[in-house]
Amino acid sequence: MCTKMENGNILDLFNREKPVKVCAPMVRYSKLAFRSLVRKYDCDVCFTPMIIAADFMRSAKARDSEFTTNKIDRPLVVQFAAKDAQTLADAACEVSPFSDGVDLNCGCPQRIHKDLRKTVDLCQKVEAAGVSWITVHGRTADERHQPVHYDAIKTIKDSLSIPVIANGDIKSMMDVDAICELTGVDGVMAARGLLANPAMFSGVEETPLKCVWDWVDVAVELGTPFSCFHHHLIYMLERITSQPERRVFNNLSSTAAVIDFLQSTFGSPSENTHFHEDSNTGVCH
């Protein structure tokens, strides 16, 4: 549930004719470096990972650890989990100068309720309370990989006047178009689909090699810890490498080894023979 901040015009995104494309709040993953990457590939809005509001307010050290941004990291929504209104309000005030909205996590693990009327009632109540938009993950609390209930998302959308964003199993722009057509939502939020292909919102079906090298540049520039740097690449390379290549790559233990692997497997980004875009697929080779 997102509330607009005074210094942002993030709601203007919903006035366009195309759906708003959002990078989901992902624990450990949707940090500044990855947000910087997906913004290069047509992502409209990025969320921070979920932050526990009480911990965030406890000390400046906690705030510095949990929330990192820069001047070009916009539009940005900060997601908090909180159990009392004052703590949430205090945390929102802290991030207000550096973000465009605050999101209250109401979805771990309760997503849509098995009795959809309860979810609709909750959404109507928070709309009346003044939230700017609502994101709906179309699964119940005990569902993880089951099909998304797009009919439930449509019901929720039809019951509200504020924008609604759909979340769940969005892995391509074809999925984006189909889900928007099916549910009438105003935007989509992707998590695993963007981990596998950070350029997904730009319309390419597989991770372009340019995106891989962009990630190397961004991660090195921002000092991303190796484990995070490596895990992102494991996701990104899964569909564009062979099983033996993945076996080797997954066991690498340093940034230098990763760069050597990428150069030996795909060529350096300056080698045009290895790095041109296929006009039919949009995938770099």
Side-chain angles (χ1 to χ4, degrees):
M1 302 175 189
C2 188
T3 301
K4 177 189 173 187
M5 290 302 204
E6 293 180 359
N7 64 330
N9 58 354
I10 195 169
L11 291 179
D12 290 345
L13 292 170
F14 293 103
N15 295 328
R16 309 175 308 174
E17 293 185 357
K18 56 185 180 180
V20 178
K21 297 171 288 189
V22 183
C23 178
M26 294 175 280
V27 176
R28 295 184 300 275
Y29 290 118
S30 53
K31 294 190 176 182
L32 175 60
F34 189 67
R35 299 196 302 264
S36 301
L37 179 67
V38 296
R39 291 186 193 280
K40 294 176 178 286
Y41 293 92
D42 294 345
C43 182
D44 296 316
V45 180
C46 290
F47 276 55
T48 68
M50 185 186 74
I51 300 171
I52 306 299
D55 294 343
F56 185 76
M57 293 306 300
R58 192 161 291 132
S59 69
K61 183 177 179 180
R63 290 190 287 279
D64 291 341
S65 173
E66 293 287 342
F67 180 61
T68 304
T69 187
N70 59 27
K71 291 181 180 180
I72 61 173
D73 186 29
R74 309 293 286 268
L76 178 65
V77 175
V78 182
Q79 186 183 79
F80 286 113
K83 60 183 180 180
D84 70 270
Q86 188 59 55
T87 302
L88 176 62
D90 292 342
C93 288
E94 286 288 330
V95 300
S96 175
F98 315 103
S99 64
D100 303 281
V102 163
D103 183 73
L104 177 61
N105 186 316
C106 299
C108 291
Q110 300 81 21
R111 295 170 180 111
I112 59 172
H113 199 280
K114 290 181 179 179
D115 181 354
L116 188 58
R117 292 173 297 181
K118 294 184 178 180
T119 299
V120 169
D121 180 63
L122 172 64
C123 290
Q124 290 175 335
K125 286 178 177 177
V126 296
E127 177 182 23
V131 301
S132 300
W133 80 72
I134 291 175
T135 302
V136 181
H137 186 151
R139 291 186 172 97
T140 61
D142 56 357
E143 294 176 332
R144 290 188 61 82
H145 302 295
Q146 291 88 338
V148 176
H149 299 285
Y150 294 115
D151 55 338
I153 295 178
K154 183 180 189 311
T155 298
I156 293 166
K157 168 60 184 172
D158 291 344
S159 72
L160 301 174
S161 299
I162 57 175
V164 173
I165 292 176
N167 177 226
D169 280 0
I170 296 167
K171 299 176 181 177
S172 70
M173 282 304 295
M174 289 182 62
D175 292 338
V176 172
D177 294 338
I179 290 164
C180 289
E181 178 71 22
L182 186 64
T183 63
V185 293
D186 306 275
V188 296
M189 175 184 281
R192 286 178 294 173
L194 282 177
L195 287 179
N197 178 11
M200 178 186 74
F201 283 146
S202 68
V204 296
E205 294 297 317
E206 294 178 342
T207 306
L209 291 183
K210 182 179 187 306
C211 182
V212 173
W213 285 112
D214 280 345
W215 169 243
V216 173
D217 291 343
V218 168
V220 170
E221 179 183 354
L222 294 177
T224 302
F226 176 77
S227 60
C228 180
F229 169 69
H230 190 218
H231 282 151
H232 274 293
L233 285 170
I234 289 173
Y235 282 114
M236 293 163 64
L237 296 176
E238 183 174 4
R239 293 192 295 185
I240 60 174
T241 52
S242 65
Q243 186 173 2
E245 288 171 336
R246 291 195 296 274
R247 189 177 301 116
V248 170
F249 183 83
N250 293 355
N251 286 302
L252 298 178
S253 58
S254 71
T255 299
V258 165
I259 293 174
D260 286 344
F261 174 92
L262 294 175
Q263 290 178 334
S264 63
T265 305
F266 303 112
S268 68
S270 61
E271 295 174 1
N272 294 328
T273 55
H274 292 274
F275 209 69
H276 68 277
E277 185 171 89
D278 188 311
S279 60
N280 294 319
T281 65
V283 176
C284 296
H285 302 284

